[in-house]
């Protein structure tokens, strides 16, 4: 069988079909050409107004994940912008759109598994996520958007991804409400950034545990 042709080549990477879509980004299956390593390429949707990408979602995610090294947290390899001129095969992609290159985990997310895990597997998932969050919290990083769609199923267990709204303690503050309403702690709903802390993520873990057990979020 002839392998599928890439829709785009840029730098050392090839871009293939989308494997996930969100409100602010699309994730594509990719390949590091020279090293022949599968990767996930997260392409951020461009906004009408010009923004400083380094201080907006992409840069925030890169800075947050760059200081973390844990098997339960996705690794980021590279980031930048797509070329100014794109071929016809890159339909749907914006020129100069920011991108993020990460490990590829092909097992999907926890979303389809809501209400389907037995207790041993559920317990294992929650302990793995708590260990990953402990690593991040010890380094001053709060995820702020923990939900089933942001937990990938890797070969060695669940992997936490999408630090796009992560809050780095003592580095930057934001009064903008960010996160996913069904899993947000009260201080997030109220945009009370002074009250953010590790407990903000632990609240979301409780909501996630509820959703994994019952099949739906508690709120």
């Amino acid at each position: 069988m002839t392998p599928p042709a890439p829709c785009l080549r840029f730098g050392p990477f090839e871009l293939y079909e989308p494997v996930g879509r969100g409100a602010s980004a699309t994730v594509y299956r990719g390949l590091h050409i020279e090293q022949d390593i599968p990767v996930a390429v997260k392409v951020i949707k461009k906004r009408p107004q010009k923004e400083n990408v380094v201080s907006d979602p992409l840069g925030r995610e890169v800075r947050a994940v760059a200081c973390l090294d844990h098997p339960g947290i996705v690794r980021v390899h590279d980031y930048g912008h797509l070329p100014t001129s794109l071929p016809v095969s890159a339909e749907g992609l914006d020129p100069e759109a920011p991108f993020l290159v990460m490990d590829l985990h092909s097992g999907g997310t926890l979303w389809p598994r809501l209400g389907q895990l037995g207790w041993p597997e559920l317990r294992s998932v929650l302990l793995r996520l708590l260990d990953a969050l402990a690593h991040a919290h010890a380094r001053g990083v709060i995820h702020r958007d923990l939900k089933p769609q942001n937990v990938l199923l890797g070969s060695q267990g669940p992997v936490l991804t999408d630090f796009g709204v992560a809050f780095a303690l003592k580095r930057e503050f934001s009064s903008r409400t960010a996160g996913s309403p069904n899993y947000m702690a009260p201080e997030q709903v109220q945009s009370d950034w002074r009250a953010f802390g590790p407990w903000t993520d632990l609240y979301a873990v409780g909501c996630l545990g509820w959703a994994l057990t019952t099949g739906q979020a508690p709120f």
Side-chain angles (χ1 to χ4, degrees), residues 53-64 79:
V53 174
V54 173
S55 63
D56 207 52
L58 180 70
R60 185 155 55 239
E61 182 163 358
V62 170
R63 290 198 304 274
Y79 77 101

Side-chain angles (χ1 to χ4, degrees), residues 10-147:
F10 60 98
F13 302 106
E14 289 181 341
L15 212 61
Y16 293 88
E17 76 282 358
V19 295
R21 299 181 186 274
S24 61
T26 299
V27 179
Y28 292 81
R29 181 175 67 87
L31 179 73
H32 190 289
I33 303 171
E34 294 182 1
Q35 300 181 14
D36 195 29
I37 297 176
V39 294
V41 182
K42 178 179 180 180
V43 181
I44 311 296
K45 295 179 181 178
K46 293 185 69 176
R47 300 182 183 181
Q49 69 273 24
K50 293 183 179 180
E51 293 179 327
N52 182 350
V53 174
V54 173
S55 63
D56 207 52
L58 180 70
R60 185 155 55 239
E61 182 163 358
V62 170
R63 290 198 304 274
V65 181
C67 67
L68 307 178
D69 182 15
H70 189 279
I73 297 175
V74 71
R75 289 187 301 172
V76 173
H77 300 287
D78 198 2
Y79 77 101
H81 293 80
L82 295 181
T84 303
S85 178
L86 299 179
V88 176
S89 59
E91 182 180 359
L93 291 170
D94 294 324
E96 300 184 330
F99 69 85
L100 186 69
V101 181
M102 307 172 290
D103 284 342
L104 176 66
H105 296 283
S106 57
T109 73
L110 273 181
W111 176 253
R113 307 294 304 279
L114 296 187
Q116 299 182 10
L117 301 182
W119 167 243
E121 189 176 3
L122 173 59
R123 180 178 183 272
S124 177
V125 166
L126 293 178
L127 288 177
R128 167 89 162 201
L129 293 178
L130 286 170
D131 194 61
L133 288 172
H135 176 84
H137 295 163
R139 287 151 184 80
V141 177
I142 304 170
H143 189 279
R144 288 200 307 168
D145 197 19
L146 186 63
K147 58 183 178 180

Side-chain angles (χ1 to χ4, degrees), residues 156-177:
Q156 303 300 317
V159 179
L160 187 57
T161 188
D162 202 346
F163 281 75
V165 296
F167 182 88
L169 289 175
K170 301 179 182 178
R171 291 189 181 180
E172 67 179 299
F173 305 97
S174 173
S175 59
R176 179 176 62 90
T177 299

